[in-house]
């Protein structure tokens, strides 16, 4: 079954960010664009996703058929440590407003983008979807993780109670165009890129990195995540036999997206 139709209007929330812009680039290649009026984007200045009334008015006027929630307050370990309220409360508001409005205005399919940090700190490897909420989180980014878990569970709740078509995708460590290269607030890959770039430019004899160097990371280029989003929009059904199930054998509505390759 193919779920997408060229006449559908796809709203990419957070279209100016790293993930949102990658999704828009791919949708453009697939024939979705502002000119064709089947791709909807809106700037932060024109729509405050924190504001429930503004979001409701926007949905009432524009009536999207598909919503991809790539909007979030994101950052690395230092940012999470310094701004826990922002990472928890802002993300809860944004995702709640989008999910509620999507249900109220009859969106046909809602895609929620989470993060691999939703899983327990000491999760068995490789991480499977059913490991969610089986143990304690990594403390350094727990605020962001808790917000994302709430989003996944709200999508699942709408699916259970109202049969809303929702999908949540959990990407591994992302990098790519429009990443944040601030050394205090950026993620690991962008921070490493900047450190090595500046060391090369300034002829520094060494680069100092955080941590011991022993942890393994699974990185994912952001355009590959966009490919996964489009594929899932088209083809995924949580009731298929190949879809993940929980410990009791029930289908779940979130999927991991990664490279299956650790560094």
């Amino acid at each position: 079954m193919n779920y997408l139709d060229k006449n559908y209007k796809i709203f990419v929330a957070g279209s100016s960010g790293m993930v949102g812009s990658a999704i828009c680039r791919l949708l453009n290649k697939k024939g979705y664009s502002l000119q064709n009026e089947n791709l909807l984007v809106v700037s932060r200045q024109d729509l405050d996703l924190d504001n429930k009334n503004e979001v409701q008015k926007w949905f009432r006027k524009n009536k999207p058929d598909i919503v991809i929630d790539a909007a979030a307050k994101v950052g690395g370990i230092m940012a999470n440590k310094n701004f826990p309220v922002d990472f928890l409360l802002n993300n809860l508001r944004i995702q709640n407003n989008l999910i509620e409005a999507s249900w109220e205005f009859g969106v046909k399919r809602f895609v929620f983008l989470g993060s691999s940090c939703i899983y327990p700190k000491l999760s068995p490897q490789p991480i499977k979807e059913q490991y969610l909420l089986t143990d304690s989180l990594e403390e350094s980014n727990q605020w962001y993780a808790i917000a994302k878990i709430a989003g996944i569970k709200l999508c699942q709740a709408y699916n259970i109670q109202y049969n809303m078509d929702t999908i949540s995708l959990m990407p591994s460590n992302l990098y790519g165009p429009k990443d944040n290269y601030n050394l205090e607030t950026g993620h690991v890959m962008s921070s490493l890129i900047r450190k090595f770039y500046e060391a090369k430019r300034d002829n520094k004899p060494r680069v100092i990195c955080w941590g011991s160097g022993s942890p393994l990371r699974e990185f994912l280029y952001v355009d590959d995540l966009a490919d996964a989003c489009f594929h899932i929009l088209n083809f995924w059904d949580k009731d298929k036999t190949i879809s993940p199930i929980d410990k009791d054998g029930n289908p779940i509505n979130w999927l991991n997206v990664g490279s299956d390759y650790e560094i």
Side-chain angles (χ1 to χ4, degrees):
M1 180 177 181
N2 190 310
Y3 287 88
L4 275 183
D5 186 307
K6 284 292 175 62
N7 295 317
Y8 282 176
K9 293 190 290 185
I10 301 179
F11 172 39
V12 180
S15 58
S16 63
M18 178 174 66
V19 174
S21 61
I23 292 171
C24 288
R25 284 195 299 272
L26 180 64
L27 289 174
N28 286 161
K29 294 177 183 178
K30 301 293 185 180
Y32 295 87
S33 66
L34 300 178
Q35 293 76 17
N36 294 338
E37 298 183 345
N38 54 5
L39 176 61
L40 303 175
V41 299
V42 61
S43 68
R44 293 177 184 176
Q45 291 74 27
D46 293 328
L47 176 60
D48 179 7
L49 295 176
D50 272 7
N51 188 309
K52 182 175 181 177
N53 290 332
E54 283 191 26
V55 172
Q56 296 270 326
K57 289 178 182 178
W58 189 91
F59 270 73
R60 185 177 294 111
K61 177 182 178 181
N62 293 280
K63 298 179 174 61
D65 297 292
I66 305 289
V67 174
I68 303 174
D69 180 8
K73 179 175 180 58
V74 298
I77 292 174
M78 186 64 72
N80 271 267
K81 179 180 178 181
N82 292 336
F83 305 104
V85 172
D86 297 353
F87 276 89
L88 182 54
L89 193 55
N90 288 18
N91 283 311
L92 285 173
R93 285 174 179 158
I94 290 169
Q95 63 203 32
N96 287 353
N97 290 342
L98 287 169
I99 295 167
E100 287 184 82
S102 293
W103 163 246
E104 183 173 341
F105 293 97
V107 166
K108 294 178 174 62
R109 176 158 271 204
F110 184 92
V111 179
F112 178 74
L113 293 172
S115 168
S116 57
C117 70
I118 65 165
Y119 293 110
K121 177 179 180 178
L122 301 178
S123 179
Q125 302 293 320
I127 299 174
K128 298 180 180 180
E129 286 86 354
Q130 56 263 41
Y131 296 162
L132 182 64
L133 295 176
T134 57
D135 208 336
S136 302
L137 298 168
E138 162 62 48
E139 294 85 354
S140 62
N141 56 11
Q142 62 179 316
W143 317 108
Y144 181 72
I146 289 170
K148 286 299 182 179
I149 291 170
I152 296 164
K153 285 299 183 179
L154 184 58
C155 286
Q156 185 183 28
Y158 267 100
N159 179 262
I160 292 170
Q161 187 169 339
Y162 298 116
N163 200 33
M164 180 179 173
D165 190 344
T166 63
I167 309 166
S168 298
L169 301 180
M170 305 304 113
S172 55
N173 296 267
L174 293 170
Y175 70 99
K178 293 200 172 183
D179 205 345
N180 173 18
Y181 293 91
N182 185 298
L183 293 177
E184 297 298 321
T185 59
H187 288 108
V188 58
M189 181 63 85
S190 59
S191 298
L192 288 173
I193 289 173
R194 177 170 174 178
K195 287 182 177 183
F196 278 89
Y197 166 77
E198 291 182 350
K200 177 71 173 177
R201 181 195 63 192
D202 301 335
N203 293 314
K204 294 181 179 178
R206 62 179 181 172
V207 171
I208 299 175
C209 303
W210 293 357
S212 65
S214 60
L216 293 172
R217 294 270 195 155
E218 181 181 344
F219 293 105
L220 182 67
Y221 189 59
V222 70
D223 285 6
D224 292 331
L225 173 61
D227 282 336
C229 287
F230 190 79
H231 181 81
I232 290 302
L233 271 176
N234 265 300
F235 301 114
W236 188 53
D237 179 348
K238 70 178 177 61
D239 294 318
K240 286 184 177 179
T241 56
I242 61 172
S243 297
I245 56 176
D246 64 17
K247 62 181 177 59
D248 298 316
N250 300 311
I252 53 181
N253 69 324
W254 61 93
L255 282 175
N256 293 336
V257 181
S259 62
D260 197 30
Y261 178 74
E262 292 182 320
I263 297 174

